[in-house]
Amino acid sequence: MSVVNGADHSHETREPPFGFWRRSYAMVVKEFIQLRRDRVSFAMIVMIPVMQLMLFGYAINTTPRNLPTAVLLQEDSDLARSILKALENTAYFRFTQEVHDVAEFDNLLLSGKVLFGVEIPRGFERAVRRGDRPALLVAADATDPVAAGSAMSALGIVVQTALEHDLFTGDPPAMPFEIRAHARYNPAGSSRLNIVPGLVGTILTMTMLIFTALSVTREIERGTMESLLSMPIKPIEVMFGKIIPYVLVGFIQATLIIGIGVLLFGVPVQGSLIMLALLSTLFITTNLSIGYTFSTIVQNQLQAMQMSMMFFLPSILLSGFMFPFAGMPVWAQYIGEGLPLTHYLRIVRAIMLKGATLANIRYDALALFALMLLAMTIAVTRFRRTLD
């Protein structure tokens, strides 16, 4: 009896020839078929490396040039024009505004419309020829030290070159005037003053997109969305019910990041906390609406995560968080202007580091509001089509 059972047992456990490889091959074929059906995941496999290569190859520039610059020209002399032309020839400065008083000069820097301001005082050329060594003022918005650093370091050589043809036949014996370079809003050039406010927007973008997209797709996968929609409730009410709790979560996150930045890293808050809180809420709502839109496109939580990352990647690269916005090509700046993070970074840095008012940042506030309305409209429209 035992002999028979032993024989049967050895017969049952005998491995067929190449069994391991056949089963592994079957699993490989099955995974390829499943991947082919999951078109969103397949698209991410192709698009993410292509997008990274294109952005890093064409859009990212760590030595930005053609930076917007304002000039306060209080005298129209040959020497003043030569200095401005020499500055433009470096390709670091691009004069976009000519102002007529100091208040307008300061307001352009405060609002972020220009990154540099050059002031040539009245009687400048006359004082140079008399040997009085007058001062040429160059003010820089140093909230982004990377964007300002290279241009500021080139000032001395540029101006001395401009003087060779205006005052001397050869090399000038000494600098006939003084260059006063003021790095405003971040005089020490500390990178943490630039990074910590930017982290508020970056972390909120990532978490708000993922939270909302996963929240809705989780309901669909579990089948609870059908029971929810069987109730007398409208699609927009479902969306608001999903978004509002995460607005509070995002607000807590923003408060936590700003609090740590102030207490541990010494980041100042020069402007209004109330205005910062209101515009942060606007930014959070915009990202939640975008995440909700993603949830109406995808079919599962994996696809929701992939699409969120697909949106997050250009946000951190083209918004001015990692690389200077002004150093990007024009086409990349146009794309960046369509990203909520771009406008929020300008807002949070302007309020915290510059003490900007709503009048100074009204363009970015209006752009953020328009993006929120657009995202909410698309989200509600897509959700209704999903129901139909």
Side-chain angles (χ1 to χ4, degrees):
M1 185 71 177
S2 61
V3 175
V4 175
N5 289 339
D8 292 342
H9 180 73
S10 62
H11 178 74
E12 290 176 0
T13 58
R14 184 178 301 166
E15 180 75 16
F18 305 104
F20 171 80
W21 295 108
R22 284 191 292 181
R23 290 190 298 270
S24 298
Y25 174 76
M27 284 301 302
V28 169
V29 173
K30 178 256 183 190
E31 285 301 317
F32 272 115
I33 294 173
Q34 187 171 344
L35 182 61
R36 185 182 62 183
R37 293 175 179 174
D38 190 355
R39 295 182 179 179
V40 174
S41 297
F42 188 75
M44 296 300 109
I45 293 173
V46 177
M47 289 301 297
I48 288 180
V50 170
M51 180 182 295
Q52 285 182 320
L53 183 62
M54 296 294 289
L55 292 180
F56 277 100
Y58 290 106
I60 304 306
N61 181 14
T62 56
T63 55
R65 298 180 182 271
N66 297 316
L67 302 172
T69 307
V71 58
L72 176 57
L73 190 61
Q74 297 183 353
E75 74 164 22
D76 191 4
S77 63
D78 293 337
L79 178 57
R81 293 293 176 184
S82 295
I83 292 174
L84 296 180
K85 189 64 178 177
L87 289 172
E88 279 191 319
N89 288 340
T90 65
Y92 284 112
F93 304 92
R94 177 171 54 90
F95 292 100
T96 58
Q97 307 252 4
E98 184 170 343
V99 298
H100 305 286
D101 56 63
V102 177
E104 188 179 0
F105 182 86
D106 293 338
N107 185 63
L108 287 173
L109 283 170
L110 187 61
S111 62
K113 293 180 180 178
V114 298
L115 294 181
F116 292 91
V118 178
E119 180 182 354
I120 299 179
R122 187 173 288 105
F124 179 77
E125 183 173 2
R126 181 181 177 184
V128 168
R129 294 185 182 279
R130 286 166 43 185
D132 294 339
R133 295 194 79 244
L136 173 71
L137 174 64
V138 179
D141 180 355
T143 53
D144 189 348
V146 176
S150 300
M152 295 289 281
S153 63
L155 284 174
I157 299 174
V158 168
V159 175
Q160 193 160 355
T161 302
L163 293 174
E164 292 179 2
H165 303 289
D166 285 276
L167 296 179
F168 304 94
T169 56
D171 293 335
M175 183 67 72
F177 58 87
E178 179 185 359
I179 300 176
R180 293 180 184 171
H182 291 173
R184 297 190 182 182
Y185 317 121
N186 184 8
S190 174
S191 59
R192 68 179 61 179
L193 296 188
N194 177 63
I195 292 175
V196 173
L199 280 175
V200 181
T202 305
I203 293 173
L204 287 176
T205 298
M206 180 176 62
T207 55
M208 295 300 100
L209 285 174
I210 293 175
F211 283 171
T212 315
L214 292 183
S215 173
V216 177
T217 51
R218 189 184 303 117
E219 297 269 11
I220 296 174
E221 286 185 346
R222 293 176 178 175
T224 54
M225 182 62 74
E226 295 181 0
S227 347
L228 183 64
L229 296 175
S230 63
M231 302 178 182
I233 187 170
K234 298 178 180 179
I236 193 170
E237 295 169 346
V238 174
M239 186 182 74
F240 277 124
K242 285 287 184 183
I243 285 178
I244 290 175
Y246 291 109
V247 172
L248 179 60
V249 172
F251 191 80
I252 293 173
Q253 280 188 332
T255 304
L256 185 63
I257 299 167
I258 293 173
I260 293 175
V262 172
L263 296 176
L264 296 185
F265 299 106
V267 181
V269 182
Q270 304 286 0
S272 169
L273 280 174
I274 296 176
M275 184 171 63
L276 180 59
L278 291 175
L279 292 176
S280 297
T281 304
L282 177 62
F283 174 69
I284 291 168
T285 307
T286 304
N287 281 296
L288 291 173
S289 302
I290 294 173
Y292 198 92
T293 303
F294 291 164
S295 69
T296 63
I297 299 173
V298 301
Q299 299 176 347
N300 52 59
Q301 295 184 58
L302 176 61
Q303 292 180 356
M305 181 73 74
Q306 291 171 336
M307 189 161 286
S308 298
M309 289 298 102
M310 190 71 176
F311 183 82
F312 181 67
L313 179 62
S315 292
I316 61 172
L317 294 179
L318 300 181
S319 63
F321 172 69
M322 295 183 64
F323 306 98
F325 186 84
M328 299 177 188
V330 175
W331 63 266
Q333 292 186 23
Y334 279 128
I335 297 175
E337 292 290 342
L339 300 171
L341 183 58
T342 301
H343 302 285
Y344 184 71
L345 289 183
R346 295 172 186 166
I347 289 171
V348 69
R349 286 170 177 166
I351 294 176
M352 294 184 67
L353 303 181
K354 302 179 181 180
T357 63
L358 185 60
N360 301 129
I361 54 176
R362 62 181 180 273
Y363 163 74
D364 293 298
L366 289 174
L368 201 55
F369 183 73
L371 289 172
M372 184 202 68
L373 290 181
L374 178 63
M376 293 186 72
T377 302
I378 296 174
V380 173
T381 305
R382 286 284 315 174
F383 190 62
R384 284 176 175 169
R385 289 180 181 176
T386 304
L387 297 181
D388 297 338

